[in-house]
Amino acid sequence: MTQFKPATKALWSGEKEQLSYGATQVPVVHSVSFGYDDMHEWNAIATGQQEGHVYGRNTNPTTQAFEDKVKDLEGAEAATAFSTGMAAISGTLNAFLRPGDRVVTIKDTYGGTNKIFTEFLPKSGVEVVFCETGNHEEMEREIAKGCQLVYLETPTNPTLKIIDIERMAKAGHDVGALVVIDGTFASPVNQNPLEHGVDIVLHSATKYLGGHSDALGGIVCGPKDLIDQVYHYREINGATLNPQAAYFLLRGMKTLHLRLERQNQNAMQVAKYLQTVDWVDDVFYPGLEGHRGHDIAKKQMKGFGGMLSFSVKGGLDTVYELLPHLKLAKRAASLGCVQTIVGPPALTSHVECTPEERAAMGIPEGLIRYSAGIEDIDDLIQDLDQAFAKLPTEALTK
Ligand SMILES: *Cc1c(COP(=O)(O)O)cnc(C)c1O
């Protein structure tokens, strides 16, 4: 499938090998074990000399179709799936890090990832250095001091900061570090970090890959020798993707490009609209010319994504007043769904953090994260407009 364009790959990649009985769609294989009448064949598969499945914690045909599809879209040699995005992140870190190692990362990683860095890795004797997100010079200085792993995320959650992937990959490789990136916010439609030199790209498949907020999953893509190590950790640790979830993710991915095309457009239009609203202090969207990371985003992204955030005058009080007025937005955690989702980071991505930690990460109290769905753009803007109109205007002048 390598000769085809991404939208075509999203439909066809990974499927053919898993079809049987003339089925045109990949079956959900619920069988836990896979039996062999030929003992030599069993032996060859169990010892990895021949392709095949032995036990559901290790591999599964439905899950494999999902892995092959994402692998093709990221242009990777190999991929391995996990039960959730957090399992993919912690599994990758656990596969490679050992006591005494040093990790260089940014302050604005996903809230759960930040917890791994602040709470769990230090217990295993791993030092984690947090750099100001978007300060490339600081990161280069810290990386040059020596580290085993550089962990990136771009665009970041929730203020959509942009990191120069190629520049950070080079800095990491100069000191022999492994460079890992969380590509969830962009999805493989809008950004392919392996092309910019990173070793491993991982995703929370729960978000754009699945796209319908009905299945949890995670996936890690990269060269075979590295993915083998991540897979080995996962087969033992047991954070395996459920085949039913793998099916939902596979199904969702067939419309990945159509969805993202619309979500990219909708996010851009909503961002431009928000810039005209009196209540709005700041709009964070990498597609806006005035965004700090716009030039880097233009260089490394194929589309600016469906995520944006904006801060409102009056802080959290305004957030609590405004959001219930929206008719076309789920007030919920998560993102990347076909329906628009809104929420303050304090209740979504950064609910694991204390208010002090959020303040230290530069997350304004009045910030709202907006995950644009695929609704008609006129309806989305009209909906925001009527919600802002319901706010008490005297509060605006305070
Ligand atoms: C949601 C998310 C995760 C965690 O994924 P889960 O599937 O919820 O475990 C990791 N990184 C980013 C950027 C996310 O948005």
Side-chain angles (χ1 to χ4, degrees), residues 84-87 89 110 113 153 157 182 184-185 204-207 216-218 335 369:
T84 65
M86 279 315 301
I89 292 164
Y110 176 74
T113 309
E153 199 175 309
N157 200 359
D182 180 337
T184 303
F185 259 44
S204 165
T206 315
K207 315 294 169 54
L216 291 159
L335 60 102
R369 199 177 70 169

Side-chain angles (χ1 to χ4, degrees), residues 27-276:
V28 187
V29 180
H30 280 295
S31 184
V32 163
S33 52
F34 299 83
Y36 298 93
D37 293 333
D38 181 334
M39 301 304 285
H40 295 287
E41 188 187 6
W42 185 1
N43 177 61
I45 291 170
T47 54
Q49 295 161 51
Q50 193 182 313
E51 283 247 349
H53 306 285
V54 175
Y55 185 60
R57 172 153 44 75
N58 304 8
T59 64
N60 168 282
T62 316
T63 301
Q64 192 181 333
F66 167 67
E67 291 169 336
D68 286 346
K69 205 183 270 300
V70 185
K71 179 191 84 169
D72 264 19
L73 282 177
E74 283 294 14
E77 201 182 356
T80 192
F82 284 81
S83 54
T84 65
M86 279 315 301
I89 292 164
S90 53
T92 302
L93 294 170
N94 282 326
F96 296 112
L97 294 171
R98 42 197 50 72
D101 280 355
R102 187 166 177 272
V103 176
V104 176
T105 188
I106 50 171
K107 285 186 182 165
D108 286 17
T109 52
Y110 176 74
T113 309
N114 188 261
K115 275 286 166 220
I116 302 268
F117 287 144
T118 55
E119 203 173 303
F120 295 104
L121 284 185
K123 280 192 207 168
S124 312
V126 174
E127 183 197 352
V128 184
V129 182
F130 301 92
C131 299
E132 209 55 56
T133 309
N135 185 339
H136 294 90
E137 291 74 21
E138 181 190 2
M139 261 196 120
E140 280 168 337
R141 271 199 309 279
E142 286 300 335
I143 292 168
K145 289 179 193 166
C147 64
Q148 282 64 44
L149 195 143
V150 175
Y151 188 94
L152 308 171
E153 199 175 309
T154 181
T156 60
N157 200 359
T159 51
L160 286 295
K161 291 178 188 152
I162 302 292
I163 301 191
D164 190 325
I165 302 171
E166 200 170 312
R167 183 169 167 186
M168 290 303 107
K170 187 184 174 305
H173 290 155
D174 282 349
V175 297
L178 192 70
V179 182
V180 179
I181 186 166
D182 180 337
T184 303
F185 259 44
S187 92
V189 175
N190 288 325
Q191 183 172 278
N192 298 114
L194 297 177
E195 288 173 3
H196 304 288
V198 307
D199 300 298
I200 287 181
V201 55
L202 52 84
H203 293 274
S204 165
T206 315
K207 315 294 169 54
Y208 285 107
L209 294 180
H212 295 72
S213 283
D214 56 6
L216 291 159
I219 187 142
V220 184
C221 309
K224 188 172 182 315
D225 60 324
L226 296 178
I227 297 305
D228 279 350
Q229 294 175 63
V230 178
Y231 163 73
H232 180 58
Y233 180 84
R234 199 263 292 147
E235 70 166 327
I236 303 304
N237 162 275
T240 307
L241 180 65
N242 183 285
Q244 187 70 50
Y247 177 80
F248 282 134
L249 298 173
L250 266 177
R251 184 180 215 238
M253 281 189 66
K254 290 178 186 169
T255 54
L256 183 66
H257 287 72
L258 283 178
R259 285 188 276 116
L260 261 296
E261 222 174 86
R262 174 66 77 92
Q263 284 165 318
N264 286 346
Q265 289 168 7
N266 281 358
M268 180 69 104
Q269 293 308 312
V270 168
K272 285 185 173 162
Y273 158 78
L274 288 168
Q275 284 185 312
T276 68

Side-chain angles (χ1 to χ4, degrees), residues 354-369:
T354 63
E356 293 74 32
E357 283 170 337
R358 283 193 292 272
M361 289 172 176
I363 299 173
E365 278 297 281
L367 194 71
I368 294 170
R369 199 177 70 169

Side-chain angles (χ1 to χ4, degrees), residues 324-356:
H325 291 310
L326 289 172
K327 297 187 176 83
L328 296 177
K330 306 267 185 198
R331 283 153 288 271
S334 202
L335 60 102
C337 182
V338 281
Q339 289 143 321
T340 294
I341 300 178
V342 294
L347 299 179
T348 57
S349 59
H350 290 69
V351 67
E352 289 95 347
C353 304
T354 63
E356 293 74 32

